[in-house]
Amino acid sequence: MQDMGMTDKQFNGFVRFLLDALTDAIEEPESEKKDEKLSKIADNLQKTLED
């Protein structure tokens, strides 16, 4: 079975999603919530790599 790559639009959408999540985490004033958000982003990225 051959893997299909992303189109440019799909990749741009993924980057927008990631940037939005990172911006939200950066702007979080509470350290504990910030750490939770960053951990969630890292987990989602790891799952994406494993797919």
Side-chain angles (χ1 to χ4, degrees):
M1 187 171 156
Q2 186 178 22
D3 286 336
M4 293 182 60
M6 281 185 170
T7 65
D8 286 347
K9 284 191 178 217
Q10 288 171 323
F11 180 72
N12 287 345
F14 173 75
V15 171
R16 277 191 206 97
F17 169 78
L18 181 57
L19 181 59
D20 183 55
L22 287 170
T23 301
D24 183 48
I26 289 168
E27 293 174 350
E28 177 60 54
E30 294 182 37
S31 181
E32 188 173 315
K33 285 186 179 183
K34 180 182 291 218
D35 290 344
E36 288 174 10
K37 289 180 179 186
L38 290 171
S39 180
K40 184 176 179 180
I41 292 167
D43 288 344
N44 286 336
L45 288 172
Q46 183 63 44
K47 288 177 187 174
T48 300
L49 288 174
E50 294 171 359
D51 284 346

